[in-house]
Amino acid sequence: MTIPHSAQSAQAASNLPASAPARYLRVLSIAGSDSGGGAGIQADLKTFSALGCFGMTAIAAITAQNTCGVRAIHAVPGDILKAQIDAVVQDIGVDAVKIGMLATPETVRVVADAIRSYQLPHVVLDPVMVATSGDRLVAAETADALVRELFPLVELITPNLDEAGWLLGQPIAGIEALDAAARQLLALGAPAVLLKGGHLPGDWVVDLLVDADGVSHRLESARIVTHNGHGTGCTLSSAIAAELASGAALPDAVARARSYILGAIAAGADVRTGSGHGPLNHGYAPRAQVIVRG
């Protein structure tokens, strides 16, 4: 009998001792807050909930932004960021982590120290450096700190082409360049790379996952015509973290997360929110909250 994915964790829980405490699948987002609600912490929480997980946050930056762009960024002090992570991990616990925008080298170091200290599992890093509007969000020294401090500690990085091009110091000109670029990112210390090709022209979108064994997984889909792409990268990385929390292997987690985001884009394609790049429809097909034991 084929078990629906949404029921797999529940069935696994039923095989544990009845005395084991019931709990939710717990996913922590360490990222920036988007006042417009389409990206960052806000998109992450919507995604976790839609995929049946319990979402928690450690806010690394506060942004003033809307669908048209970013107006201001305020980095949260490192001691406050650390206190948020400590409070969540020490009390509730974590099954997976999504990392988004980290605005300063200090915040990068705080997060790296937390991953090492708590041995946080299933960490997905979305190296947010450029907003959908084209706004540059972090300085070069912060990008350098991401590579040096965090790449070796995470399970997956999920850059788009602009971010990958900045990290590699060269543009990625076409689909044929994806594999070489992904392997160059692996050489920088990342254990696995999902290189998102949505910024390339054409009727098809091609993303490339190169896993820890060096195996390439090409994922393709027809392009969905929409003006509502704000928060797409945040949502995808959050969905991958949620799927990893549920026990999926990395290639399956990426494929399932990608399927979810394509549905969210299609469901919100014709909705008007603001006058710029609108958000996805994160709640188009919500799963029931997953409860596990142990």
Side-chain angles (χ1 to χ4, degrees):
M1 179 180 68
T2 300
I3 302 169
H5 173 62
S6 60
Q8 287 176 351
S9 295
Q11 186 193 56
S14 68
N15 294 327
L16 291 169
S19 59
R23 63 171 181 83
Y24 300 119
L25 290 177
R26 309 152 300 181
V27 188
L28 170 63
S29 171
I30 307 172
S33 170
D34 173 8
S35 53
I41 288 284
Q42 288 80 355
D44 296 344
L45 287 175
K46 294 171 187 177
T47 302
F48 299 154
S49 181
L51 297 179
C53 294
F54 178 75
M56 305 163 293
T57 64
I59 298 176
I62 300 169
T63 71
Q65 65 175 296
N66 53 29
T67 63
C68 298
V70 180
R71 298 185 179 184
I73 299 173
H74 171 70
V76 171
D79 59 336
I80 300 300
L81 176 59
K82 180 180 184 301
Q84 294 176 80
I85 298 171
D86 290 344
V88 168
V89 177
Q90 293 171 7
D91 177 43
I92 301 170
V94 172
D95 296 305
V97 182
K98 174 265 172 77
I99 301 172
M101 188 185 77
L102 303 178
T104 68
E106 180 191 17
T107 58
V108 173
R109 286 191 291 271
V110 167
V111 174
D113 287 345
I115 294 173
R116 283 190 291 260
S117 297
Y118 293 113
Q119 298 188 10
L120 297 177
H122 299 310
V123 181
V124 177
L125 170 62
D126 185 23
V128 178
M129 296 182 288
V130 182
T132 303
S133 59
D135 294 304
R136 183 71 60 87
L137 298 175
V138 301
E141 56 266 27
T142 303
D144 292 341
L146 278 174
V147 173
R148 184 177 62 255
E149 300 281 348
L150 282 179
F151 274 29
L153 299 178
V154 305
E155 185 168 343
L156 175 72
I157 65 169
T158 63
N160 62 31
L161 294 188
D162 291 338
E163 292 154 351
W166 188 13
L167 289 168
L168 297 175
Q170 61 189 37
I172 300 169
I175 292 173
E176 65 282 353
L178 292 179
D179 190 77
R183 294 180 189 280
Q184 285 179 277
L185 290 168
L186 289 176
L188 291 178
V193 176
L194 175 63
L195 188 53
K196 300 173 294 191
H199 289 179
L200 293 174
D203 295 332
W204 284 85
V205 174
V206 177
D207 301 327
L208 185 71
L209 169 67
V210 181
D211 64 24
D213 295 322
V215 178
S216 295
H217 307 262
R218 182 166 162 150
L219 302 102
E220 302 182 49
S221 56
R223 185 178 299 277
I224 301 170
V225 179
T226 178
H227 201 59
N228 299 328
H230 184 51
T232 303
C234 301
T235 300
L236 179 59
S237 55
S238 297
I240 294 170
E243 295 290 357
L244 291 172
S246 76
L250 182 59
D252 291 335
V254 170
R256 291 169 182 168
R258 197 173 184 276
S259 177
Y260 163 73
I261 198 172
L262 290 173
I265 294 171
D270 298 325
V271 180
R272 195 67 185 177
T273 305
S275 54
H277 296 281
L280 317 182
N281 184 343
H282 292 89
Y284 76 99
R287 296 180 193 167
Q289 188 95 340
V290 177
I291 299 175
V292 298
R293 290 192 179 274

